[in-house]
Amino acid sequence: DRYASAQQIRRISASLTVGGEEVGSRSGTLVGRDEQLQVLQSCWQAARAGHAQLVFITGEQGIGKTSLAQHAAVLDKPPVLLVSRCQEVRGAPAYQLFANVLQAYLKMIPAQELDESTCRLIGNFVSLVPEIQQGLPEGVIPPPLEPRQEQRRLITSVTRFIEWATRQQPWYIILDDVQWADESSLRLLH
């Protein structure tokens, strides 16, 4: 479970930010959250054992949902921690919630770790993370399809890519302010 290089460590630590603040830099203790923290840690242990988990932390604004998730992540020390925050903006780009997650992850992994079939999956959703196009081999980006088929291909490819990546190392994802997510991101989350 060692990192391949110092460069990989830098890429990982660069992705551990929320609004410009490092996830692990928040200090303080959580008061009265032992039970919730224990639930999150149990879910993480199940995920590490290969049993996918999805946890929603709900409640009123300002009660510490994000702090709880970040605190749990710091304690659990996941090999891959990805954070995406939705903004209260109308007309946000489609799939923005997942584009942020995919962009952060793809910055963390060396291109040489990707086999041809994985590159083809990425080629199917390169529109979400266009900056990675230059690192892909020629011929992996497919021709466009009719909009409904294109959407189906994108959702299927993102899902398969996440399944592939999480088999390599489990992901700990914090999706913050999901109430502001675009419809496409919510469909993909479903």
Side-chain angles (χ1 to χ4, degrees), residues 38-57 76 98 162 166 170-175 189:
Q38 194 169 24
V39 168
L40 290 174
Q41 289 180 308
S42 293
C43 288
W44 174 243
Q45 292 307 316
R48 286 187 62 95
H51 307 287
Q53 303 290 304
L54 179 63
V55 178
F56 287 97
I57 302 172
D76 290 334
F98 287 94
I162 291 173
T166 56
W171 288 10
Y172 196 117
I173 304 173
I174 299 174
L175 303 175
L189 183 59

Side-chain angles (χ1 to χ4, degrees), residues 58-168:
T58 61
E60 296 297 318
Q61 183 177 358
I63 65 166
K65 299 178 297 292
T66 301
S67 294
L68 174 63
Q70 291 174 345
H71 191 76
V74 169
L75 292 175
D76 290 334
K77 298 179 179 82
V80 178
L81 172 61
L82 302 166
V83 178
S84 184
R85 172 174 279 141
C86 298
Q87 302 294 324
E88 185 181 0
V89 177
R90 293 203 185 276
Y95 304 104
Q96 189 62 49
L97 188 62
F98 287 94
N100 295 340
V101 166
L102 293 167
Q103 180 182 39
Y105 180 72
L106 290 167
K107 283 181 182 177
M108 292 168 43
I109 58 171
Q112 43 296 10
E113 285 187 19
L114 304 172
D115 61 19
E116 185 180 345
S117 64
T118 305
C119 286
R120 289 195 182 284
L121 283 176
I122 295 169
N124 289 336
F125 62 79
V126 76
S127 61
L128 297 183
V129 196
E131 60 274 9
I132 63 160
Q133 184 171 351
Q134 66 210 28
L136 294 175
E138 260 186 66
V140 298
I141 299 173
L145 297 172
E146 178 273 318
R148 272 184 130 43
Q149 292 175 319
E150 188 72 39
Q151 180 184 36
R152 196 170 310 126
R153 177 170 66 186
L154 184 140
I155 288 173
T156 300
S157 296
V158 167
T159 303
R160 286 183 180 159
F161 177 76
I162 291 173
E163 288 170 352
W164 169 83
T166 56
R167 279 192 304 270
Q168 312 308 306

